[in-house]
Amino acid sequence: MLLIDCPHCGPRNEVEYAYGGQAHVARPEDPYALDDREWAEYLFYRDNPRGDYAERWHHTGGCRKWFNAIRDTATYEFRATYPAGSARPGTGPGPTSHEGVQP
């Protein structure tokens, strides 16, 4: 069981959340200028790193708000959570909750 620290509600069981994919994917400024390949890459291509990865999560069983998290894809450890729309925090050693993260 994972405890995920919602930046709005605090730590909750993983069953209350839904995964939303990679965070901080920039929408194209002019989508109509893209060809089919570029549009498909925007929609479907995502990074697949080993280690820290910025993700979107939805607290479906609680506040129903979206937020971002930095999670290690090798260990499943959540290093930080922060509200959607905030800048990605540093991932150095320190608190794993939203309380120690500066947007």
Side-chain angles (χ1 to χ4, degrees):
M1 175 183 85
L2 287 174
L3 280 179
I4 301 174
D5 191 5
C6 174
H8 309 287
C9 305
R12 298 287 195 274
N13 190 319
E14 65 181 303
V15 299
E16 292 189 12
Y17 296 90
Y19 177 75
Q22 183 177 359
H24 306 291
V25 177
R27 182 175 172 81
E29 289 185 27
D30 184 8
Y32 296 105
L34 302 179
D35 62 25
D36 290 344
R37 180 177 175 82
E38 292 168 329
W39 184 246
E41 287 179 2
Y42 165 70
L43 291 176
F44 304 113
Y45 285 35
R46 295 296 179 256
D47 297 336
N48 188 21
R50 178 179 175 87
D52 290 345
Y53 186 59
E55 303 172 327
R56 300 183 70 220
W57 286 84
H58 186 221
H59 194 180
T60 56
C63 63
R64 305 184 62 80
K65 293 182 180 176
W66 286 91
F67 63 94
N68 295 333
I70 304 295
R71 183 177 63 89
D72 188 316
T73 58
T75 65
Y76 297 101
E77 177 187 0
F78 280 79
R79 300 196 186 278
T81 58
Y82 51 102
S86 299
R88 180 181 171 155
T91 57
T96 58
S97 71
H98 65 283
E99 295 171 352
V101 175
Q102 299 298 317

